[in-house]
Amino acid sequence: MQKARQVRSASTIERILDAALVTFRAEGFRGAGIAAICKAAGISPGNLYHYFDSKEDIVAAIVARDRALLTRTVAGLIARDDPVEAIIAAIIAEPVPGEFGLDPVMTTEIYAEASRNPVVAGIVQDFARQTHAEVVAMLAMLRDRGLVAKETDLAAVAGLLMALVDGILTRRLADRESDPAALADPLRVAIGAVLGVTTKDDRRD
């Protein structure tokens, strides 16, 4: 019985988070009210408040869920035969609607709210710190495989890769007709140079 209740609770939480994502994207964080989120989730406000105290709590849960996805994504990149190519493919891949850090609309909205809301700012800063640590760990594993030069400043490169992702996502939002695939070759050269690795283009030569 307890397990069944836990499953139902987890399902309700997922419905709330998914509904909040749709509402935040459509109306913005400030414009999205609890009533609208409840309507999209098909639940009552009382039911929502059983799980979350505020919209900020919902954002924290969304970010935590996406952090778990990021961990699995990083593990998958490391396991690839050509992780540098896998990283490039991940950077230029189609954005995933609703995933913080990957959805340009959602990410921009939350970043904007973070500039005026200290609670959301703390959530974003924690996400950035954890993501940075995750990327540093990934680069360290690649260095152990001889795919990153020993003298590479892993912390600095991790920050650069994160900035690249943020910049590309923002560019997609500003220019929806841009072709991310056109960035593959420049990224290959830039990332290869920063990591001090042999890139796919180098191997063809």
Side-chain angles (χ1 to χ4, degrees):
M1 181 68 74
Q2 183 177 3
K3 185 175 181 180
R5 283 197 297 268
Q6 290 173 342
V7 171
R8 287 197 297 271
S9 295
S11 175
T12 301
I13 289 171
E14 288 298 307
R15 282 169 56 200
I16 292 170
L17 297 184
D18 290 342
L21 286 169
V22 171
T23 309
F24 289 158
R25 290 184 97 253
E27 302 181 20
F29 182 87
R30 293 239 156 172
I34 291 296
I37 295 172
C38 290
K39 182 178 180 180
I43 62 173
S44 68
N47 197 2
L48 182 145
Y49 282 120
H50 178 73
Y51 298 100
F52 301 103
D53 292 332
S54 64
K55 287 193 292 184
E56 287 82 359
D57 282 349
I58 295 174
V59 170
I62 290 170
V63 172
R65 184 173 69 173
D66 290 348
R67 269 284 304 137
L69 174 62
L70 177 65
T71 297
R72 295 193 297 271
T73 299
V74 168
L77 292 175
I78 295 171
R80 296 284 291 273
D81 291 335
D82 194 336
V84 173
E85 286 300 309
I87 291 170
I88 292 169
I91 290 175
I92 65 175
E94 283 298 313
V96 182
E99 288 185 8
F100 178 67
L102 295 176
D103 177 349
V105 175
M106 182 65 183
T107 301
T108 301
E109 181 62 37
I110 296 302
Y111 280 173
E113 182 61 23
S115 70
R116 54 186 174 251
N117 184 327
V119 175
V120 175
I123 294 168
V124 170
Q125 289 162 6
D126 285 344
F127 178 85
R129 282 192 293 268
Q130 293 166 358
T131 301
H132 186 264
E134 192 94 31
V135 176
V136 169
M138 175 188 72
L139 294 172
M141 292 181 187
L142 296 182
R143 184 173 60 186
D144 291 342
R145 290 170 56 183
L147 297 173
V148 175
K150 291 181 179 179
E151 66 275 11
T152 299
D153 183 337
L154 301 185
V157 171
L160 176 60
L161 290 174
M162 291 171 63
L164 277 173
V165 172
D166 283 346
I168 290 172
L169 286 174
T170 302
R171 182 61 184 164
R172 284 183 175 181
L173 193 59
D175 183 4
R176 296 179 184 272
E177 295 183 0
S178 63
D179 179 13
L183 299 174
D185 287 339
L187 279 172
R188 192 171 292 115
V189 173
I191 292 175
V194 169
L195 299 182
V197 299
T198 300
T199 66
K200 186 178 179 180
D201 282 348
D202 293 332
R203 290 195 294 273
R204 281 201 296 261
D205 295 340

